[in-house]
Amino acid sequence: MVAPMVTTFFLLFLATRARGQTTDDVSWAKRVDTGSQVVTTMQFYFHDTLSGNNPSAIKVAGPQSSASSPGGFFGQLMMIDDPLTEGPDKKSKLIGHARGLYGQAAQNELGLIMILNYGFTDGMYKDSSFSLLSLNPAMQSVREMTIVGGTGLFRLARGYALAQTYWLDASTGDAIVGAKNKGSLIQILKMKIEGMILMLCTIFIVLPLAQSILEGPKEVKEWFKELPIKKEKVTKLHFYFHDTTTGPGQTAHQIAESNISSTTITQFGRTFMFDNPLTIKPDIRSKRIGKGQGFFGAASFEEPRFLMNLNFVFTQGRYNGSTLQFLGTNPILHRVREMSIVGGTGVFRLARGIATAQTYFLNDTSSIVEYNLVVIHYH
């Protein structure tokens, strides 16, 4: 099974002026209204338990075989209802719950696709929530993930979350993830983002190998402090996505289906977890620049249309260690399909944009899809 976790998140949000509060009545969050934006920093602990008589995470899907992944976890999908607490002790003050899905989306390392809603029950944040959509490379010391929206005080929010492993029991998989020094992660950031200048440039994927982007809370907070003087730019990316559902080199594994999947023309409900290579040319032997990790499922009765939850993880050049998150439906028989870029990490922190996909090759066992991305982000 995928390892259970107790996680401390350090979070920062940019949200519209929803209700005008500039003070907090809780110890785990601080909020500042800058006039055009509200900036909120938060820290709390996320308890994910798979073992015992009262688990908070339950396996809901998985492939018949995951032998190629660490511990045989590839494709396992968990539904969770995890408590959020003020401190690392599970008996400390309950401030909300994280509910949603996570699953093992990498075949050769521990990489969890996270689709979670964090709903709060404490103080002024009661009945507010935010949504997180990202890839969590759980063995890295610090992981950055993308916040793509919210409700209540976090209406129209965007931001990031940082997670750090605090404690791990290797025999059971139970873990606490969070900073060793809680106080060092609480900070109020003041910023204005008016007057940003939009710049247009084209970036080519073929770049020399660079050091992976791995920033801790201090570095990321410094990045946000400089946001008022940063400029927006447009980056264009072009590459090929290789999806193989059966046979040698299989990269996508079926993990679930509905009781009517086999009787509908669109295989409605059939769901796959994938870890697909990205290359600069259609030939799978051409230079690899990253991976596409996530899951897709047949979500239409009328035509082949997949719900796509997709993370592009880049491993080359200036984008090494950066990611982009996608969410949308993909009508695979259309010549050109457009999907939303809803967030990113690293170079693409606070990104938004569009992706267009065109099928380059398709047969019964595999496909090659050409992607063109237009990404708006800061530099």
Side-chain angles (χ1 to χ4, degrees):
M1 282 191 177
V2 178
M5 297 180 182
V6 183
T7 306
T8 297
F9 281 101
F10 169 62
L11 305 126
L12 186 141
F13 298 91
L14 300 179
T16 57
R17 297 185 65 180
R19 300 181 186 175
Q21 290 98 330
T22 57
T23 60
D24 295 270
D25 58 355
V26 298
S27 62
W28 49 271
K30 297 295 180 184
R31 167 183 170 90
V32 173
D33 188 338
T34 68
S36 62
Q37 299 281 337
V38 175
V39 182
T40 303
T41 57
M42 311 173 75
Q43 183 172 357
F44 53 79
Y45 292 78
F46 167 107
H47 300 256
D48 187 46
T49 305
L50 285 75
S51 60
N53 296 325
N54 190 29
S56 62
I58 303 293
K59 179 183 174 182
V60 295
Q64 293 182 348
S65 174
S66 302
S68 61
S69 67
F73 297 146
F74 181 73
Q76 290 198 18
L77 192 64
M78 313 295 292
M79 185 71 76
I80 72 166
D81 183 359
D82 288 352
L84 308 176
T85 62
E86 189 175 37
D89 190 334
K90 196 171 183 178
K91 297 178 181 178
S92 62
K93 185 178 182 180
L94 181 71
I95 63 165
H97 286 85
R99 297 182 171 108
L101 295 166
Y102 68 78
Q104 172 64 11
Q107 295 200 73
N108 298 312
E109 66 271 347
L110 188 58
L112 305 177
I113 181 77
M114 310 285 284
I115 311 152
L116 300 178
N117 181 267
Y118 291 76
F120 297 97
T121 57
D122 186 36
M124 65 185 291
Y125 299 100
K126 183 179 180 181
D127 298 326
S128 293
S129 70
F130 69 83
S131 298
L132 183 146
L133 174 67
S134 209
L135 191 75
N136 179 6
M139 298 306 294
Q140 292 184 10
S141 59
V142 180
R143 289 90 71 189
E144 180 179 335
M145 290 173 280
T146 304
I147 295 164
V148 298
T151 65
L153 291 178
F154 303 125
R155 192 172 296 136
L156 302 182
R158 55 193 174 118
Y160 73 94
L162 294 181
Q164 296 176 269
T165 299
Y166 182 86
W167 173 82
L168 173 67
D169 184 338
S171 64
T172 65
D174 292 336
I176 299 174
V177 182
K180 300 295 185 184
N181 183 353
K182 178 178 178 180
S184 67
L185 293 180
I186 299 296
Q187 182 174 6
I188 300 173
L189 303 183
K190 298 181 180 180
M191 63 184 73
K192 290 183 179 291
I193 61 170
E194 300 98 327
M196 295 292 183
I197 300 173
L198 182 65
M199 300 177 63
L200 179 65
C201 64
T202 301
I203 305 296
F204 295 96
I205 283 292
V206 185
L207 294 167
L209 183 65
Q211 184 178 1
S212 174
I213 297 169
L214 182 59
E215 296 180 327
K218 181 179 179 180
E219 291 80 9
V220 175
K221 286 187 287 185
E222 289 299 319
W223 186 93
F224 269 88
K225 282 183 178 180
E226 296 175 359
L227 188 57
I229 61 173
K230 290 183 180 293
K231 298 178 181 180
E232 283 191 320
K233 65 185 293 185
V234 176
T235 295
K236 297 181 179 180
L237 305 175
H238 174 256
F239 50 81
Y240 293 84
F241 172 95
H242 300 260
D243 185 59
T244 304
T245 56
T246 60
Q250 183 176 358
T251 60
H253 295 257
Q254 182 179 327
I255 61 171
E257 65 179 6
S258 71
N259 58 3
I260 61 170
S261 293
S262 60
T263 63
T264 58
I265 192 171
T266 62
Q267 301 182 354
F268 184 82
R270 190 158 288 166
T271 304
F272 289 80
M273 189 77 78
F274 59 86
D275 183 2
N276 292 340
L278 308 177
T279 63
I280 62 172
K281 295 181 179 180
D283 190 336
I284 188 64
R285 296 168 295 183
S286 63
K287 184 176 181 179
R288 294 195 180 190
I289 51 89
K291 296 181 177 182
Q293 297 175 328
F295 67 84
F296 62 84
S300 172
F301 287 113
E302 299 174 353
E303 64 172 338
R305 180 182 288 266
F306 293 149
L307 173 66
M308 302 286 290
N309 184 303
L310 172 59
N311 289 262
F312 284 142
V313 183
F314 299 104
T315 58
Q316 292 291 311
R318 71 180 67 183
Y319 306 117
N320 186 15
S322 296
T323 70
L324 286 168
Q325 283 73 49
F326 296 70
L327 184 64
T329 59
N330 181 2
I332 61 172
L333 296 185
H334 293 200
R335 187 179 69 85
V336 179
R337 292 89 71 186
E338 181 177 318
M339 289 172 283
S340 299
I341 299 170
V342 297
T345 65
V347 170
F348 300 120
R349 194 171 290 139
L350 300 184
R352 61 199 187 279
I354 60 170
T356 55
Q358 293 180 268
T359 301
Y360 180 88
F361 169 82
L362 176 66
N363 65 17
D364 292 339
T365 63
S366 63
S367 64
I368 302 172
V369 181
E370 180 180 8
Y371 273 94
N372 284 278
L373 278 55
V374 180
V375 187
I376 302 172
H377 61 106
Y378 296 101
H379 76 112

